């Protein structure tokens, strides 16, 4: 599952309170053009206690083994024989977010909301932003989009096109926050 970047992301909130992270996401979505709204999920799974409910919720999710075992859903392998695995499901309906978060438990995961675009940001000289780069990601039990830095807290990222990098701080300000880290290339 090699990912191709379609945006750059910048963190705007880090919190131990998952509901606070979800409230910030809701506020950001409140200013976005939500036509074609869908959600992508990724989780780093290390136990059948997490894997089983995720596969029940997302039966067509793709997965691949981390490390040298080489197992994957494309080969028809049993994921529980290849822990840890990365599980990914794309283009899911927004109502699956709550059940996904319940299923991942303490595992590092991301939820990425994908929609039509960001609003005009005249204060920073930007018109309406198109679908490319119009995402919000909640990294759960992780501080990065690649799930390489597990944590006990959660991070909200806003995405923008690289050429519109000033949109990220503008978006943060729209919800009463500021950027708290560098603009990074998003993994997918």
């Amino acid at each position: 599952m090699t990912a191709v970047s379609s945006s750059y992301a910048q963190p705007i909130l880090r919190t131990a309170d998952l509901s606070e992270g979800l409230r910030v996401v809701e506020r950001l979505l409140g200013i976005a053009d939500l036509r074609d709204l869908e959600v992508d999920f990724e989780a780093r799974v290390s136990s059948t206690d997490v894997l089983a409910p995720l596969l029940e919720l997302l039966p067509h999710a793709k997965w691949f083994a981390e490390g040298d075992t080489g197992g994957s859903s494309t080969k028809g392998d049993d994921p529980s024989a290849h822990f840890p695995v990365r599980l990914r499901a794309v283009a899911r309906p927004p109502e699956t977010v709550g059940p996904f978060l319940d299923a991942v438990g303490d595992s590092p995961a991301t939820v990425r909301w994908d929609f039509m675009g960001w609003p005009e940001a005249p204060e920073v000289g930007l018109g309406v932003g198109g679908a490319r780069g119009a995402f919000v990601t909640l990294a759960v039990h992780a501080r990065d989009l690649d799930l390489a830095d597990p944590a006990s807290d959660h991070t909200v990222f806003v995405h923008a096109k690289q050429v519109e990098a000033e949109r990220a701080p503008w978006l943060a300000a729209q919800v009463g926050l500021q950027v708290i880290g560098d603009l990074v290339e998003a993994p997918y």
Side-chain angles (χ1 to χ4, degrees):
M1 274 195 233
T2 302
V4 175
S5 177
S6 59
S7 68
Y8 282 72
Q10 200 157 14
I12 65 167
L13 175 72
R14 187 160 291 126
T15 178
D17 182 356
L18 182 57
S19 61
E20 180 184 11
L22 287 167
R23 281 191 300 274
V24 167
V25 168
E26 286 176 21
R27 290 171 51 208
L28 287 162
L29 294 177
I31 64 171
D33 178 346
L34 297 183
R35 286 179 291 157
D36 301 326
L37 177 64
E38 56 189 29
V39 183
D40 300 334
F41 300 110
E42 185 166 351
R44 186 174 187 271
V45 182
S46 298
S47 75
T48 55
D49 292 343
V50 174
L51 181 65
L54 282 175
L55 289 176
E56 185 174 322
L57 176 66
L58 307 166
H60 302 293
K62 303 293 184 202
W63 67 269
F64 65 93
E66 292 187 330
D68 298 332
T69 66
S72 74
S73 55
T74 58
K75 296 178 182 178
D77 295 328
D78 175 6
S80 61
H82 296 279
F83 289 132
V85 299
R86 290 286 184 113
L87 183 124
R88 186 162 186 225
V90 298
R92 306 297 304 156
E95 54 272 10
T96 54
V97 171
F100 174 80
L101 292 173
D102 290 342
V104 297
D106 292 338
S107 299
T110 58
V111 179
R112 186 181 83 167
W113 288 262
D114 182 353
F115 41 89
M116 185 55 68
W118 289 119
E120 182 179 18
E123 301 89 338
V124 292
L126 294 174
V128 173
R132 189 176 152 261
F135 311 111
V136 175
T137 298
L138 174 61
V140 180
H141 302 292
R143 293 201 168 176
D144 66 318
L145 297 168
D146 294 317
L147 303 177
D149 189 9
S152 59
D153 52 16
H154 320 289
T155 305
V156 176
F157 292 85
V158 292
H159 296 246
K161 295 179 225 174
Q162 185 179 21
V163 298
E164 295 181 353
E166 58 275 7
R167 190 179 300 277
W170 181 86
L171 287 165
Q174 301 313 297
V175 295
L177 298 170
Q178 59 187 14
V179 296
I180 58 170
D182 295 332
L183 190 69
V184 296
E185 188 172 6
Y188 63 90

